Amino acid sequence: MGTSPKENETKNDEKKTHAGAGLKENPRAREEWESKRTSSISTKTGSSEPGAVSSTGNRSIVSKYGLRRRSDDSKEGRSTSATTTTSHDRSSAQTMMRISELADMPAERPSVVHVGGENEIVLPPHRADGTSGASSSIDLESARSHRPSNSEFLIEATLVPDDPVTPQQEPSPELAKVVEAEQLYFGFSKRQLLFLGGCLILIAVIVVIVTVTVGSSSGGEENADAAGAPFTTLSPTATPLPTVDRIRQRGELLCGIWDESHKLIMTSGVLEKDEDQTDLVLCRVLAAAVLGNASAYRLIETSQEDNFKLLGNGAVDVLTSQVETSMQSDVYETEQGKIGAGFTFSVPFVYIGIFWGGVPEFVLCAEDNYETKGNCSDLRICMSTDSEWAEIVVEKIPESFIVKRDNVTEILQGFKNGDCNVFPVESTGVTEFLLALFGHRGEYYRGTQPFVNDIGTLATRDDDPEWSDFVNIILMGLFAADLANVTHINAAELLAADVLGEELERAVEAAGNYAEIFDRGFKPIFQSREGWNLLNNGSTGLLFTLPLGTIQNEGPGPVAGGTLEEIRDRPNGKLHCGVRLGRPGFAVQDKAQNQPFSGLDVDMCSALAAGLSQGTTDAVLFVHVENEAQGYRMLQSGEVDVLAGHTWNIRNDYHEPGTGVGYSFTMPYFYKPVDVDVHSSNATFDENLCLVTRQDDPQFSSFVFWTVASTWHAEERGVTEANSRDMPDVNLFGFDYSKMFRDAIFAVGNYGEIYERNLASILPRGGRNMLNSVQDAGPQIYVPPGYFD
């Protein structure tokens, strides 16, 4: 049985009484003892909990076990002294304890500080009997950011024993002796600081010498070897120049391509010319656009395991080898190269269905809801170690039936050797072609039921949104040229584009439009251009579910100074959403009837607010904006966090005229109907509608992007408001936002429910506002406004 805090305080008071009693008979000794005693202990004490953390602002307390809870957990049984911190607690902090607890500590403390994770340090606590207790933790980022105030400094002091002294007993010399405290500066003595400073100066001199030597020997060029080693000494922080300026200064574009795919296609002879390979063509397109010279590029070969590491450290400017995008890679890529950061992805330039292939009887087992009994008990599926497909399949089948391999080559070799009898197969036909190259002559069958979609994109870093926009606009310019029948011959027609007209002309002149590039690089492999890879003419759906990836990986929580943190720290915790009112079906409010806001735009903001506030459905403040131009000004000034119902076009994406900067757009959640009777002569519709955020906060932009996408993700999987708990957990933004999908769908329902409630009576759902599913793939290539308007 433990003692109560009150009992502990009584015992500690008794100890103090006994310690000072023997000094009453010697007033002078007592005066000296009291004077030194009070000066050797900081007058500022904190929480009574041994593992508590005190802060100068919001007082948060970390449990001695380092546990964290979501704010919507049960509140029963809590007290302020036992409250645990969440990833939202980021105030500066220092460890505090009572004077009485100092006396209870053993004379020798361990010199080892255990690191308990990226964001916390764990100190082994000790009981009075000298045994170790449970670890206590403090937030590492908070500890790093804390600086003592003028009245708050650390000291070293010799602890005074608390052995009882009788009134008749004179204080012993050992008891009365107090060693004078030495003032510390940020935890170091003056002598330690001087030594540390000397070391730092010596290191700085060495770094300067090495930098000058390496720079002079390399001539300022990167050490990236296009034919071999994937890494380079260049890092994004080596120069403050934007990516476009660095490329122009360097005189060449560095493109990362997947070495395995590149070599297989190069040696297969399937293409008429090796340079027709699509990832090489896209590199040539970008080089022509940014440098005016389609040959001014260098290929940096990389593996799928290292491609994001290469991009993250600045060894390449762009990844062009059909990079698989996902929510995980967009927000917090950790699987490939343990990056711990997010990346920016272009719109997809190729869509591929993934089927099961292999021994016929076992392919049927996989397609039969992954049956593993009877004749299917020998089912073995080869999959890539880091593949998000493996995460999907593990939910359906025990992991013992999955044979993991590092790459495509090992998967094909594993099937040939009999290690597995089923493996993922692309709808393009390239897998069968490669299997033949490996010499497989046995039975083989490709199934008819796609189990997942795959997409190819261009990838850039999050730290330069203007370069990311440049890459995306040039890529979509190939689509626009295809739509308008502009080829490499009449590329000058693209000079009419709202932005980057000259760059777009050079790009199409160098390689042709999307159809020309597809015919040379993909058609020999795909055999035909069909389904997703056609231009959407408005008659079929465009609501496409992008891959999520391993979204259970826990991210770092809100970044310091970011919008997530700002919203969380507001007194009312509300999202500020700008809406254009007076638009039936999208955003209306009947003030006379005291009705709440309603409409498609309003519901998208409400879904976002619910995901941000752990399910509070009314955690949103709607701010009326007169028009889009005013909305951008309010967004840029910070008056609103997000805009609803604004149109995505290349001008506002790159450089919006009123504010002079670009913005981030979600995928459109509404498309203007094409040749559809809207049953109302007064109805007007914008080309598309999106949620819009600033570009200086990629974490918040990603949160908004994926919240919108979750509404049709839910519809495709049959998740409604009633069973919203079936939405997957998402830990990429920190544990506190793990229910963001569930909370969003619980607040407003899936996309079908949202549309039916707000727009069905005005505009029956159809065309581009339908789902484009794996099972019924329709054209997915969409050209936003701005190229020929």
Side-chain angles (χ1 to χ4, degrees), residues 398-425:
E399 197 166 356
S400 58
F401 289 88
I402 297 178
V403 179
K404 292 190 175 182
R405 292 291 184 264
D406 287 339
N407 50 51
V408 174
T409 301
E410 290 188 10
I411 289 175
L412 296 176
Q413 192 66 49
F415 175 70
K416 179 186 175 184
N417 295 341
D419 299 334
C420 58
N421 41 43
V422 173
F423 61 99
V425 178

Side-chain angles (χ1 to χ4, degrees), residues 25-233:
E25 303 302 323
N26 190 337
R28 181 175 180 182
R30 177 168 184 92
E31 181 179 352
E32 293 178 356
W33 184 76
E34 285 290 340
S35 174
K36 293 184 178 182
R37 175 180 177 273
T38 55
S39 66
S40 65
I41 300 176
S42 173
T43 58
K44 201 167 187 179
T45 59
S47 169
S48 60
E49 282 290 317
V53 173
S54 173
S55 68
T56 56
N58 298 327
R59 291 188 175 271
S60 60
I61 300 176
V62 179
S63 138
K64 64 180 179 180
Y65 298 106
L67 298 178
R68 299 180 176 181
R69 295 181 185 166
R70 295 182 70 248
S71 58
D72 60 350
D73 285 345
S74 173
K75 297 180 181 178
E76 296 180 4
R78 294 191 192 180
S79 67
T80 56
S81 63
T83 304
T84 56
T85 188
T86 68
S87 60
H88 281 174
D89 296 321
R90 294 290 185 235
S91 57
S92 60
Q94 69 177 28
T95 303
M96 299 289 187
M97 58 180 64
R98 288 186 175 184
I99 299 171
S100 59
E101 293 168 348
L102 288 172
D104 289 337
M105 293 174 62
E108 294 184 6
R109 287 184 58 82
S111 59
V112 179
V113 176
H114 300 285
V115 178
E118 278 192 358
N119 291 321
E120 60 180 15
I121 52 176
V122 181
L123 305 175
H126 294 266
R127 303 189 182 97
D129 59 2
T131 62
S132 297
S135 297
S136 60
S137 66
I138 62 173
D139 187 86
L140 182 55
E141 292 300 323
S142 299
R144 285 172 175 167
S145 64
H146 179 74
R147 293 292 183 270
S149 64
N150 292 334
S151 62
E152 186 178 356
F153 56 86
L154 303 178
I155 62 172
E156 287 182 347
T158 300
L159 302 180
V160 181
D162 56 1
D163 295 333
V165 183
T166 63
Q168 293 77 23
Q169 180 182 3
E170 289 292 329
S172 66
E174 291 77 16
L175 178 62
K177 182 179 179 181
V178 178
V179 177
E180 184 175 353
E182 179 183 0
Q183 182 170 343
L184 301 182
Y185 301 87
F186 305 103
F188 298 91
S189 68
K190 184 179 296 185
R191 188 178 357 174
Q192 290 172 324
L193 278 179
L194 290 174
F195 178 79
L196 181 61
C199 291
L200 291 176
I201 292 173
L202 179 60
I203 292 172
V205 171
I206 294 173
V207 169
V208 170
I209 293 173
V210 171
T211 302
V212 172
T213 302
V214 172
S216 60
S217 64
S218 63
E221 294 294 323
E222 295 74 39
N223 294 330
D225 182 2
F231 295 103
T232 172
T233 57

